[in-house]
Amino acid sequence: MGDFNEILLPFEVRGGIFCRNRANKFAKVLEDCRIMDIGAIGSNYTWFRKEQGRQSISKRLDRALVDCDWRNLMPEAFVEVLCRFRFDHSPIPLHCHDDPASKKGQPFRYLDAWSLHPEYRSILEVAWLSSNRGVVDQLKQGGNHLYQLRTAKWSPPPQDSVKLNVNGSFLQDSRRMGVGGVFQNSSTDCLGGFNGFVGRGDSLEEELLAVLNGLEFAWMKGWRVLVVETDALEVVSVLQDSNLTFHKHLGLINAIKEYIQKDWNLVLSHAYREANMPADKLAKEGASSVLGVLWWEVPPPAVATLLLRDSSLVF
């Protein structure tokens, strides 16, 4: 934990130049050491410098890196980026547990995505039967049990099938869109993936384009038993709507449905972002890229670290 003097992704620098070669070398070190970045809340940058006569430069040079065993012991740990004072680096205290005080008094908010979880009904039934203190307490227990679904993790597909995790990324200021996707088998082996820049548009369009690109690659590769996961609930909703007649992206939606109706066994479902982090990382990098969508056989080092983390939580 500290200042590593390197960045991993294009959005970790502002006002400076992103050097992909140096970032790949840093990511390779993390992969070789089998360690990962646990992420942070607060500012996107931890180091600042204002050069005379030039614009200021901000980078995320400070971070906390851990191995899989540490992460499994401390699943709620995170780093908080605080405001800097006098120095050019921001303090980054490590929190090993969620702060109970930060949740005190917050109202319960129901997430519609919970209803898509395969264990949704059974979780509510267990919560309802676990209390004999009346309806109010039963509802409270139900809410507490539903929050458990937020600790979602990636799961492998059934035997002899392939799972595709896809995501899109949208940069609000520039309206740049990026897509990313990863293919894995039941043994958690990475079969390949893709990412890149797909033009300028809106937040739904980039998610739809991510699905379409993924299906195109899957069909081309000959994978005929496919599980597709996206963390965009709206995408799942519009693709399951059989009465959609007027929509801004109707052409794109119909193109995806044509692929879905091809001669293969395909399941499309929603996944929480925690179970979709490699695709999320790829999409964000794609939105900042100058290249179109490219296929790769070996995952980029930063993504390989996330895939390693996911596989360690499976077995």
Side-chain angles (χ1 to χ4, degrees):
M1 178 175 173
D3 176 13
F4 291 87
N5 204 36
E6 291 290 353
I7 60 174
L8 285 170
L9 298 166
F11 54 81
E12 292 182 346
V13 58
R14 180 179 63 188
I17 298 174
F18 173 70
C19 180
R20 186 175 298 276
N21 185 48
R22 292 182 60 174
N24 287 340
K25 289 181 179 179
F26 183 33
K28 185 64 166 58
V29 171
L30 302 189
E31 180 184 5
D32 292 342
C33 296
R34 300 174 73 87
I35 54 179
M36 67 189 77
D37 187 338
I38 67 172
I41 64 172
S43 173
N44 291 329
Y45 313 104
T46 64
W47 174 83
F48 305 83
R49 184 176 70 188
K50 190 169 186 178
E51 299 184 353
Q52 187 175 6
R54 298 176 61 185
Q55 62 181 345
S56 60
I57 300 176
S58 307
K59 294 183 178 182
R60 186 182 177 226
L61 299 180
D62 307 85
R63 61 187 79 231
L65 303 176
V66 302
D67 61 16
C68 292
D69 291 338
W70 193 98
R71 192 54 168 164
N72 290 335
L73 288 174
M74 299 286 186
E76 297 179 345
F78 65 95
V79 162
E80 182 179 10
V81 181
L82 302 179
C83 296
R84 64 189 179 94
F85 179 71
R86 293 187 179 178
F87 300 103
D88 55 356
H89 285 265
S90 298
I92 55 164
L94 173 67
H95 300 270
C96 292
H97 302 282
D98 285 343
D99 182 7
S102 66
K103 298 181 179 179
K104 187 177 181 180
Q106 289 187 359
F108 171 78
R109 291 183 174 84
Y110 177 81
L111 299 179
D112 189 50
W114 282 335
S115 64
L116 299 177
H117 195 281
E119 299 179 10
Y120 170 78
R121 182 176 292 275
S122 61
I123 287 175
L124 283 183
E125 289 177 351
V126 170
W128 191 265
L129 296 174
S130 66
S131 174
N132 57 2
R133 299 179 182 177
V135 175
V136 174
D137 189 69
Q138 287 174 317
L139 290 173
K140 182 179 179 181
Q141 292 299 323
N144 291 336
H145 281 66
L146 283 174
Y147 271 122
Q148 296 175 4
L149 296 181
R150 287 188 169 183
T151 60
K153 62 180 181 180
W154 183 85
S155 60
Q159 190 77 21
D160 299 323
S161 65
V162 173
K163 175 176 279 191
L164 164 63
N165 285 87
V166 294
N167 201 12
S169 180
F170 175 65
L171 303 181
Q172 188 70 41
D173 294 340
S174 62
R175 305 189 67 81
R176 291 175 60 89
M177 301 184 297
V179 298
V182 181
F183 293 89
Q184 292 172 270
N185 61 19
S186 59
S187 300
T188 75
D189 299 321
C190 180
L191 306 177
F194 63 92
N195 73 315
F197 172 64
V198 289
R200 302 177 190 272
D202 57 57
S203 57
L204 176 58
E205 185 178 6
E206 37 94 355
E207 298 287 359
L208 290 168
L209 285 169
V211 174
L212 180 59
N213 276 271
L215 295 181
E216 289 174 345
F217 279 119
W219 185 263
M220 181 178 63
K221 292 291 182 179
W223 295 319
R224 295 297 183 258
V225 183
L226 188 69
V227 178
V228 183
E229 289 186 345
T230 171
D231 59 24
L233 186 60
E234 187 178 1
V235 167
V236 178
S237 177
V238 297
L239 292 178
Q240 292 178 345
D241 189 347
S242 58
N243 298 316
L244 204 62
T245 305
F246 301 101
H247 194 282
K248 180 180 179 181
H249 301 302
L250 185 59
L252 184 53
I253 293 169
N254 287 337
I256 296 173
K257 287 184 175 181
E258 287 180 8
Y259 263 98
I260 292 176
Q261 293 167 2
K262 285 180 177 287
D263 184 20
W264 58 359
N265 188 346
L266 187 149
V267 177
L268 173 68
S269 61
H270 174 264
Y272 291 99
R273 180 161 297 182
E274 293 86 349
N276 206 38
M277 295 306 293
D280 180 68
K281 178 84 74 176
L282 286 166
K284 287 179 178 177
E285 187 170 348
S288 302
S289 175
V290 296
L291 301 176
V293 179
L294 299 176
W295 172 264
W296 42 259
E297 298 287 346
V298 179
V303 176
T305 301
L306 292 173
L307 292 172
L308 177 64
R309 183 204 65 176
D310 286 348
S311 62
S312 71
L313 297 175
V314 171
F315 303 108

